[in-house]
Amino acid sequence: MKLNPFVKAGIGLTFALLWSCPTLAALTEDKNFGLEVKVTGQSEDDRDLGTASGGDVSGVGLDLRPWVYGESGAWSAYAMGQAVTSTDIIETDTLQQSDSDGTQTTDNGDRKTKKNYLAMREFWVGYSGLTPYPGEILKLGRQRLRNDDGQWRDTNIEALNWTFDTTLLRANAGVAERFSEYRTDLKELAPKDKDRLHVFGDVAGQWSPGNWVGIRGHHTHDDGKLDYPEPGVAGDSLDKKQNGDISWLGLTADSDAYNWRNTNTVNYWGSITGMSGDTDTVNPLNADGTRPTEAKRGEDLNGWATDIGLRLRLDPQWQVGAAYARASAEYEQTGLESNRSNYTGTRSRVHRFGEAFRGEMNNMQTATLFGSWMLNDEYDASLIYHKFWRVDGNKPVGSNGINAVENNTDDVTGAILSSTSLPLEDGNKDLGQEMDLVVTKYFKQGLLPASLSQSIDEPSALVRFRGGVFKPGDAYGKGVDSYMHRAFVDVVWRF
């Protein structure tokens, strides 16, 4: 299998860093290496809500992730590779970008997810000697960036990131930019990631035992070259159509609610975020195929979002809770989010806006009810109900796990001539509702270096079911199927 230059560079840099130092080489022989084996079965039906042929997934994937880690004084280094083979386009990775799931159509196939691929998930060098505190480290390289709610950052990306994590104060600051997917199948970046620089920082402190308040900020500077349409030349879905600058500033408060180990009777979380910026967007060709008068248009953006929740512990095993999130029509997320977190109070991270629907904070409000259960370190389960609405009934919502289409057919033969994304019906705000179930059986607790807590944050072995059933609302119209589902069974074993 031919590796693209970025993958070759990543592999070469990783092994050069890890084994050029004799001390690190010796440490890796002392069990600072391993292999994570993950088998994922996926069943998915009607992602397109029955509006097109296909839209189903059924298969099994094997995901092998070898990793190596070493320390020498204040220095550390880490690398994790990946080899995936599957019977269908299986999502073995919960961090997988929403547009890399095989539905992306391109003219050149440079961003087409394949059943088999090799990848470099992470490769970084760390230095923890800037302060005397044990929870401080500066990392350079491709690494896992994650915040507790997963709504700002939760991805693997090239970054320079400083983390300070102590009992009373937590802080992060860094810059990041995606240069490659480091995968043999995804040779090109998604258009939104091309030449997009992220600058971010956050700080939170305890104002009373177990109660945190914080502030966080994020700025994206996108000066990528725009691809303007040309008459008579077919466009490509990888053409970059928008750039600009966007800033986010948010306030947070919580009772350490995302820490599943806490034993509080009442847990809460809350955040409010403001967003502003400006974008330049390429204008399409005129209806007759000629160039538009203005090649691009500028737009000022202003939006806000909030997410609040309350969780009550009934006894050591059972918890119940409710949550509400709302984002204005112009609000959009940073592009680094996964929206996965431990908000139900278990060790298993769950998608905040549905395992099936996978909504984003853009022109959407969500009401959520949930119950969760944990038995020692052996089992946990979450049962969640979501209701989704549009905030503005005349504007679209952000990307999600639904890919419904509208077909243009031949009046005589009935053949499909073309398909476009299904527009939501004007005035109808009801997006739908969903039930999720996540159940996990853990076998044994893994003992890993503390510095790997971001990269490897699961126990050594588990079996997990993740599933959701979504019922579309009136906003999708009457020509769609009644239900769609997405379900996974993950088996993880770490050697």
Side-chain angles (χ1 to χ4, degrees):
M1 186 178 293
K2 185 177 179 181
L3 299 179
N4 65 44
F6 291 109
V7 175
K8 291 180 180 178
I11 294 174
L13 174 62
T14 299
F15 288 101
L17 290 171
L18 288 173
W19 280 286
S20 63
C21 173
T23 306
L24 287 177
L27 281 172
T28 59
E29 295 175 1
D30 190 23
K31 201 48 184 173
N32 278 335
F33 61 91
L35 175 67
E36 178 181 309
V37 180
K38 184 175 186 180
V39 179
T40 299
Q42 179 177 349
S43 173
E44 180 179 316
D45 186 39
D46 283 345
R47 177 187 303 179
D48 51 39
L49 300 182
T51 59
S53 60
D56 303 334
V57 176
S58 180
V60 178
L62 174 64
D63 188 339
L64 303 177
R65 302 179 185 180
W67 62 272
V68 59
Y69 173 79
E71 292 181 357
S72 178
W75 291 92
S76 59
Y78 174 73
M80 174 181 273
Q82 187 174 26
V84 175
T85 183
S86 58
T87 61
D88 202 342
I89 306 298
I90 300 297
E91 295 179 28
T92 64
D93 188 355
T94 55
L95 298 184
Q96 185 169 305
Q97 297 293 307
S98 60
D99 62 353
S100 64
D101 58 7
T103 62
Q104 181 94 21
T105 56
T106 68
D107 297 329
N108 51 34
D110 282 347
R111 192 171 176 82
K112 178 68 174 177
T113 303
K114 297 181 179 178
K115 297 178 183 179
N116 310 306
Y117 63 88
L118 300 176
M120 285 299 299
R121 291 179 62 82
E122 294 189 59
F123 47 88
W124 52 259
V125 175
Y127 179 69
S128 55
L130 296 178
T131 73
Y133 294 94
E136 179 266 332
I137 188 170
L138 178 71
K139 292 181 184 178
L140 174 64
R142 181 172 170 85
Q143 58 190 280
R144 174 81 173 273
L145 299 180
R146 177 162 65 89
N147 67 310
D148 286 341
D149 62 16
Q151 294 176 11
W152 286 48
R153 302 186 303 275
D154 190 11
T155 189
N156 294 324
I157 189 173
E158 302 89 314
L160 175 64
N161 181 57
W162 179 73
T163 298
F164 185 83
D165 189 353
T166 65
T167 304
L168 300 177
L169 186 67
R170 300 171 183 166
N172 288 276
V175 294
E177 183 172 347
R178 202 178 300 280
F179 296 103
S180 170
E181 299 286 3
Y182 300 93
R183 284 175 48 158
T184 53
D185 55 346
L186 304 182
K187 301 179 180 66
E188 291 288 335
L189 291 173
K192 66 180 182 181
D193 286 328
K194 295 178 181 178
D195 300 304
R196 191 179 196 191
L197 176 68
H198 300 262
V199 182
F200 56 88
D202 56 72
V203 61
Q206 288 195 68
W207 61 273
S208 69
N211 293 280
W212 296 79
V213 293
I215 184 170
R216 53 188 178 181
H218 194 110
H219 177 77
T220 59
H221 174 63
D222 186 345
D223 61 354
K225 182 179 180 294
L226 297 177
D227 297 308
Y228 296 95
E230 298 182 20
V233 178
D236 192 300
S237 60
L238 295 186
D239 289 345
K240 191 172 181 67
K241 299 296 186 182
Q242 187 179 84
N243 61 17
D245 292 87
I246 305 177
S247 298
W248 295 260
L249 183 64
L251 300 176
T252 64
D254 66 80
S255 60
D256 209 18
Y258 297 104
N259 177 8
W260 61 272
R261 293 182 177 89
N262 88 52
T263 58
N264 300 340
T265 301
V266 178
N267 275 292
Y268 66 89
W269 71 87
S271 66
I272 185 165
T273 303
M275 182 210 76
S276 65
D278 57 82
T279 60
D280 288 323
T281 305
V282 171
N283 287 322
L285 295 175
N286 296 323
D288 60 1
T290 60
R291 286 190 174 90
T293 304
E294 298 290 337
K296 63 181 180 181
R297 64 185 183 276
E299 183 179 8
D300 292 329
L301 299 178
N302 290 283
W304 67 276
T306 186
D307 182 20
I308 57 176
L310 185 68
R311 192 173 70 241
L312 175 65
R313 186 178 302 277
L314 303 179
D315 61 31
Q317 296 180 7
W318 292 92
Q319 301 181 71
V320 294
Y324 175 78
R326 181 185 177 97
S328 64
E330 289 192 339
Y331 185 86
E332 61 183 68
Q333 294 183 264
T334 65
L336 301 183
E337 73 284 344
S338 71
N339 290 321
R340 291 188 173 275
S341 68
N342 305 88
Y343 73 92
T344 65
T346 71
R347 192 186 312 186
S348 301
R349 285 193 302 279
V350 182
H351 201 293
R352 178 65 182 85
F353 308 114
E355 293 289 336
F357 184 66
R358 296 182 182 179
E360 288 188 355
M361 297 189 77
N362 171 234
N363 194 29
M364 189 182 74
Q365 58 179 332
T366 308
T368 303
L369 297 173
F370 61 88
S372 63
W373 169 77
M374 287 194 300
L375 180 62
N376 302 323
D377 289 331
E378 297 182 32
Y379 298 92
D380 66 39
S382 299
L383 182 65
I384 308 120
Y385 170 79
H386 300 282
K387 178 67 178 176
F388 307 104
W389 301 269
R390 281 192 289 178
V391 173
D392 187 328
N394 296 306
K395 292 184 178 180
V397 295
S399 62
N400 51 51
I402 306 300
N403 188 34
V405 300
E406 183 176 53
N407 297 315
N408 178 26
T409 59
D410 187 282
D411 293 335
V412 178
T413 65
I416 297 176
L417 303 176
S418 63
S419 296
T420 57
S421 294
L422 178 71
L424 298 176
E425 293 200 348
D426 285 345
N428 282 324
K429 295 185 177 182
D430 180 13
L431 291 170
Q433 53 191 319
E434 177 169 334
M435 286 293 298
D436 289 344
L437 177 64
V438 179
V439 182
T440 308
K441 160 65 177 174
Y442 303 95
F443 292 100
K444 60 179 181 177
Q445 181 68 45
L447 299 176
L448 295 168
S451 297
L452 301 189
S453 62
Q454 289 285 84
S455 303
I456 301 178
D457 47 13
E458 294 286 8
S460 288
L462 62 86
V463 177
R464 174 174 293 146
F465 172 83
R466 299 179 284 122
V469 177
F470 173 71
K471 179 178 174 57
D474 293 340
Y476 285 98
K478 300 186 181 302
V480 298
D481 281 358
S482 299
Y483 296 94
M484 70 84 62
H485 81 265
R486 183 179 283 114
F488 300 85
V489 175
D490 297 317
V491 180
V492 176
W493 191 273
R494 185 168 297 112
F495 297 93

